[in-house]
Amino acid sequence: MCGIFGFHARSRLSLAAELDKATDLLAHRGPDGRGTFVVHSPDGDWQVGLGHRRLSIVDIEGSPQPMHSHDGRYVIVYNGEIYNYIELRAELVERGHRFATQGDTEVLIEAWRAWGEDCLPRLNGMFAFLLWDTGTGRLFAARDPFGKKPLFVAKGEGFHAFASEIEALRNFPGVDDQLDQDSLREYLSYRYVPGPATFFRGITKVPPGTFVAIDGANIRTKRYFTTPFSRTKPDIDNFDEAVELFTEKLDEAVRLRLRSDAPFGAYLSGGLDSSTIVALMSRQMAQPVSTFSVGFDVPGSSELPYARQVAEAFGTDHHELSVGMNEFTSVWEEAVLRRGAPVAEPSDLPVLLLSRMASRSVKMVLTGEGADELLGGYPKHRAEPWVAMYQRLVPSGLHDGLVAPAARALPYAARRVKTLAGVAGIRDLQARMAAWFGGADGGQAEMLYAGPPQLRDLDPLPFASDGASSALKRMLHFDQTSWLPDNLLERGDRMMMAGSIEGRMPFMDVGLAELVARFPDAFLTGAPKGKRVLRVLASKLLPREIIERKKVGFRVPVEQWFRAGMADQLRDLLQGTDATVRQVCNAHEIDRLVGEHLGGTQNHEKILWALANLEQFFRIFRPTIAEAAPQQREPDYRFADSALR
């Protein structure tokens, strides 16, 4: 787990010194080592620079980067872990490949030598890497299938630059750091910026499951992976067989992720997902698992007692962190800086604090992230399949004129009913997928947004699921191509790496996703709380009360804090005379939301958190705010072959 930076540029540009600066902006991601490399292409027209900051997990002493192949042809900087590197190494040795190290980085180089871009589907892991071929003068960049590891790209006059985080690119000369108005508009609806866009016009994300090949002035991009839910028909109809296969695959995913030469542990919330991971780890480890949990000092908002119960059941070496409002706000600005964007979820901040604590004793943790998006664990997953029937029975006029207004008038205590009743009538798929998250619905987002008209269409991939076998699988496809890579996985990477901790997620195993896509919906949402196959597995591993307890979720008590000790900070951020958010959003609507929340008549915590973070983002990054160009812009995910200027 590391931080990488690289550029491919015209030789006339003087960028070597900038490489050092950009690489060191990623020091928090890799405190254990540093290296840079600059070379010109064989024809002399181009130059390539690669920078690396290392967090040593595997082959601690023997795999410094940038790494050169044994014959000097390839040079790589790489962020992530290839979990099946031992098996791949054995296969490559049989083919005659040579190795000088014991780590996965050299395996990645030799896999590229053996199979080229076809090596990517063979890699079981999370990764983003830049590989320079001195023989052909080509630069190759790739990102893992689900986008667990980040890779941003900036295009300027005569160059492309890549980095693990936005801050390193934003400070690179020639990068357009103007505010992307379309991203602002999308953020108000989604509470995150759907990829491949970012808040900066000159910086985009390399999409998950995608590679970029640069050869001189030409660039080629290809998506090599799409989610199994968008292309697989269920063919496993025996539930007992499904549970057995699922158990074997998840157990294998945990086993592979225990490969580490550095101390490791697990993040334990006390919920079903992380508790199952800890149980499987305990079966495979000779020593107690080190577990780490975070909660809050507000009564009724902490899951620490549940985590403690699981820790006692498995005899773990358990560590707890209780976060109060002051600790929470103390890392708010740093969290925004590391995200390079507003922090979409309040839970980002306690994850950062927990990572700082955990890094004192371990370098890597396993987590339960991704289980809900794999197995249908949210209420929306059980509701979406019924939407088509509702829309056939209830005309749009009746919904818009009666049902939706009645839902909006319900108290916050009925928030799930409010969301269900409001969302069910939205007939546009894109708008409905955003509304399920319970932030600003389309109407409220329109009322808040005060910028120019939208010029860009969303990336169609999250909504292009014609091969999905059901409405549930279509939603899971959306979750795995938008909600996860652009929100939850960004939290997992940025907040953990801010504390110099690597996070591994067994539920995000590609092979496990391929298997689950073969299950009918009833094996997933057939239980009252969803995740049916996981609940059956967990019943054999966990205390009964953990399996049956009400799902709480990782819920930060922002509602109470906004009305108490954070009220003045909220007013300053959203109602201060110099607040930028009042320039780009409707100030009267902001005032209404603040007044109703602080007055206790409505709970607007989600949209107020989004707006407050937007203002934090403006204060930290100070992007240039200018109107977008009047013509329709092609979305950046279409990196069609083109010449560099």
Side-chain angles (χ1 to χ4, degrees), residues 157-345:
E157 185 71 27
F159 73 87
H160 280 70
F162 298 86
S164 297
E165 293 187 6
I166 284 176
E167 177 68 358
L169 288 174
R170 218 184 124 259
N171 286 275
F172 199 69
V175 172
D176 181 1
D177 68 348
Q178 290 187 79
L179 177 72
D180 188 307
Q181 292 281 358
D182 284 339
S183 293
L184 171 61
R185 185 188 189 102
E186 292 157 8
Y187 171 76
L188 292 173
S189 293
Y190 284 79
R191 292 187 293 122
Y192 63 90
V193 177
T198 73
F199 265 97
F200 300 98
R201 289 181 58 175
I203 302 173
T204 58
K205 306 168 190 174
V206 174
T210 298
F211 70 75
V212 181
I214 301 179
D215 183 1
N218 297 313
I219 181 168
R220 179 172 65 94
T221 296
K222 180 180 179 181
R223 189 182 299 275
Y224 67 88
F225 176 85
T226 57
T227 69
F229 293 110
S230 66
R231 52 180 167 79
T232 305
K233 301 299 181 184
D235 63 353
I236 297 176
D237 55 9
N238 183 293
F239 183 71
D240 292 336
E241 178 190 5
V243 172
E244 181 179 354
L245 292 171
F246 179 80
T247 302
E248 292 175 357
K249 203 68 178 177
L250 182 59
D251 197 52
E252 178 190 18
V254 170
R255 178 182 62 81
L256 288 175
R257 285 160 180 79
L258 294 180
R259 290 175 170 173
S260 173
D261 295 329
F264 60 87
Y267 281 177
L268 175 62
S269 70
L272 181 70
D273 309 333
S274 64
S275 299
T276 300
I277 297 302
V278 168
L280 293 174
M281 291 175 70
S282 296
R283 297 201 311 184
Q284 299 191 32
M285 294 173 56
Q287 69 273 24
V289 180
S290 294
T291 52
F292 303 88
S293 302
V294 62
F296 309 99
D297 62 3
V298 176
S301 65
S302 180
E303 293 188 288
L304 285 177
Y306 299 113
R308 196 176 307 129
Q309 182 180 5
V310 175
E312 291 172 354
F314 293 99
T316 72
D317 177 18
H318 191 55
H319 310 262
E320 293 183 351
L321 177 66
S322 181
V323 174
M325 185 186 68
N326 291 335
E327 292 91 349
F328 178 81
T329 57
S330 70
V331 296
W332 192 355
E333 293 182 9
E334 181 181 358
V336 174
L337 176 66
R338 299 306 177 207
R339 284 290 293 256
V343 173
E345 303 290 335

Side-chain angles (χ1 to χ4, degrees), residues 29 194 282 323 339 407 411 470 522 539 572 576 602 608:
R29 297 184 66 93
S282 296
V323 174
R339 284 290 293 256
S470 65
S539 68
D572 173 64
Q602 286 288 338
L608 288 177

Side-chain angles (χ1 to χ4, degrees), residues 13 51 60 74 96 142 169 200 211 253 319 344 405 422 481 537 557 593 610 618 637:
L13 301 177
I60 292 173
Y74 302 107
L169 288 174
F200 300 98
F211 70 75
H319 310 262
T481 54
L537 166 59
L593 294 168
F618 287 137
Y637 58 84

Side-chain angles (χ1 to χ4, degrees), residues 485-558:
D486 296 326
N487 188 6
L488 292 191
L489 293 179
E490 285 202 2
R491 174 183 75 192
D493 176 82
R494 243 57 102 243
M495 297 304 103
M496 289 187 199
M497 292 307 296
S500 299
I501 282 283
E502 173 183 301
R504 299 181 179 181
M505 293 150 270
F507 285 110
M508 296 296 300
D509 184 89
V510 171
L512 188 65
E514 297 278 3
L515 172 66
V516 171
R518 298 172 60 193
F519 296 167
D521 291 2
F523 291 4
L524 306 180
T525 56
K529 301 174 186 176
K531 299 186 286 194
R532 183 182 172 196
V533 289
L534 177 60
R535 292 185 183 280
V536 172
L537 166 59
S539 68
K540 305 172 185 177
L541 302 172
L542 302 176
R544 181 177 178 180
E545 50 268 35
I546 294 296
I547 300 169
E548 296 181 351
R549 77 175 178 88
K550 182 180 179 181
K551 181 180 176 70
V552 177
F554 192 24
R555 190 167 178 79
V556 182
V558 169

Side-chain angles (χ1 to χ4, degrees), residues 2-7 15-31 33-38 49-54 65-66 77 130 161-165 167-173 338:
C2 308
I4 63 174
F5 186 91
F7 65 78
L15 297 175
E18 302 298 334
L19 175 64
D20 287 322
K21 296 176 186 176
T23 300
D24 287 339
L25 285 173
L26 301 170
H28 57 282
R29 297 184 66 93
R34 177 191 185 281
T36 59
F37 167 81
V38 179
L50 302 176
H52 189 264
R53 297 292 313 214
R54 188 181 185 206
Q65 295 187 44
V77 287
L130 304 171
F162 298 86
S164 297
E165 293 187 6
E167 177 68 358
L169 288 174
R170 218 184 124 259
N171 286 275
F172 199 69
R338 299 306 177 207

Side-chain angles (χ1 to χ4, degrees), residues 615-634:
E615 179 61 25
Q616 289 278 36
F617 168 80
F618 287 137
R619 294 185 181 188
I620 292 168
F621 288 95
R622 302 188 181 280
T624 304
I625 300 176
E627 291 201 2
Q631 75 275 10
Q632 176 81 13
R633 295 203 311 270
E634 283 295 313

Side-chain angles (χ1 to χ4, degrees), residues 406-636:
R408 286 193 290 269
L410 290 171
Y412 184 74
R415 61 185 181 276
R416 288 186 175 175
V417 176
K418 285 167 64 81
T419 299
L420 174 60
V423 174
I426 300 176
R427 283 159 166 79
D428 178 77
L429 178 63
Q430 290 189 5
R432 190 164 71 249
M433 291 299 104
W436 277 125
F437 296 120
D441 60 28
Q444 188 179 59
E446 290 295 324
M447 291 177 66
L448 279 168
Y449 181 68
Q454 184 171 352
L455 298 177
R456 177 183 66 220
D457 293 331
L458 288 171
D459 180 354
L461 177 67
F463 312 99
S465 53
D466 294 340
S469 59
S470 65
L472 170 64
K473 299 292 176 61
R474 182 178 61 201
M475 176 169 275
L476 292 172
H477 167 78
F478 172 84
D479 286 349
Q480 292 192 357
T481 54
S482 183
W483 168 252
L484 271 172
D486 296 326
N487 188 6
L488 292 191
L489 293 179
E490 285 202 2
R491 174 183 75 192
D493 176 82
R494 243 57 102 243
M495 297 304 103
M496 289 187 199
M497 292 307 296
S500 299
I501 282 283
E502 173 183 301
R504 299 181 179 181
M505 293 150 270
F507 285 110
M508 296 296 300
D509 184 89
V510 171
L512 188 65
E514 297 278 3
L515 172 66
V516 171
R518 298 172 60 193
F519 296 167
D521 291 2
F523 291 4
L524 306 180
T525 56
K529 301 174 186 176
K531 299 186 286 194
R532 183 182 172 196
V533 289
L534 177 60
R535 292 185 183 280
V536 172
L537 166 59
S539 68
K540 305 172 185 177
L541 302 172
L542 302 176
R544 181 177 178 180
E545 50 268 35
I546 294 296
I547 300 169
E548 296 181 351
R549 77 175 178 88
K550 182 180 179 181
K551 181 180 176 70
V552 177
F554 192 24
R555 190 167 178 79
V556 182
V558 169
E559 174 191 359
Q560 298 94 314
W561 286 345
F562 272 168
R563 290 192 177 118
M566 292 178 66
D568 288 343
Q569 186 177 14
L570 183 67
R571 292 191 186 97
D572 173 64
L573 288 168
L574 299 185
Q575 296 181 306
T577 57
D578 60 345
T580 304
V581 70
R582 298 179 71 83
Q583 301 173 29
V584 299
C585 294
N586 185 328
H588 294 295
E589 181 67 6
I590 291 174
D591 291 340
R592 181 186 70 81
L593 294 168
V594 172
E596 289 181 356
H597 187 90
L598 296 185
T601 59
Q602 286 288 338
N603 184 344
H604 296 303
E605 63 174 291
K606 285 190 175 182
I607 188 59
L608 288 177
W609 174 259
L611 291 168
N613 271 274
L614 184 60
E615 179 61 25
Q616 289 278 36
F617 168 80
F618 287 137
R619 294 185 181 188
I620 292 168
F621 288 95
R622 302 188 181 280
T624 304
I625 300 176
E627 291 201 2
Q631 75 275 10
Q632 176 81 13
R633 295 203 311 270
E634 283 295 313
D636 285 330

